[in-house]
Amino acid sequence: MANTRQSAKRSRQTEKRRTRNVQSRASMRTTVRVAVESITKKDSAQAAEAYLQAIRALSKAASKGAIPRARAERKISRLTLLAKRAFPEALKATA
């Protein structure tokens, strides 16, 4: 229980931020999971769309402060490696 008005306000702010971050992280995790599943199924059309959505979700979560920037970069890097291994022909077409 907060003892002062200031600590009560901080408590309210913390709770708002926590719920917003929980929702952001949950949707990010779902998006990343869908991307990984579509890449491992080797469905190139769906995988390309899911990959871009996952990168966008990770970057947005990091920019909003829901996750650390380094964690987002690491997950993006690992997702990119997975996509490159699954679809090496896609890289040759773009290069």
Side-chain angles (χ1 to χ4, degrees):
M1 186 68 184
N3 290 326
T4 62
R5 285 181 22 213
Q6 180 182 5
S7 62
K9 181 178 178 180
R10 292 299 277 162
S11 179
R12 289 192 308 268
Q13 288 176 333
T14 302
E15 184 58 28
K16 276 186 190 176
R17 290 180 183 133
R18 189 190 70 79
T19 55
R20 185 172 48 228
N21 287 340
V22 165
Q23 290 172 347
S24 176
R25 282 194 303 264
S27 65
M28 178 210 54
R29 283 189 200 113
T30 303
T31 308
V32 170
R33 189 180 69 243
V34 167
V36 169
E37 288 173 357
S38 63
I39 289 171
T40 54
K41 286 181 187 175
K42 302 215 179 200
D43 179 14
S44 62
Q46 183 183 6
E49 181 65 29
Y51 171 75
L52 293 176
Q53 287 179 353
I55 288 178
R56 184 174 186 272
L58 284 164
S59 298
K60 191 169 188 176
S63 70
K64 299 292 184 183
I67 62 170
R69 187 167 300 279
R71 183 184 305 163
E73 290 171 357
R74 183 175 61 247
K75 287 182 178 287
I76 289 171
S77 177
R78 290 176 180 171
L79 191 61
T80 303
L81 283 174
L82 183 68
K84 284 182 179 180
R85 288 185 185 131
F87 303 105
E89 68 279 354
L91 279 177
K92 292 177 185 172
T94 59

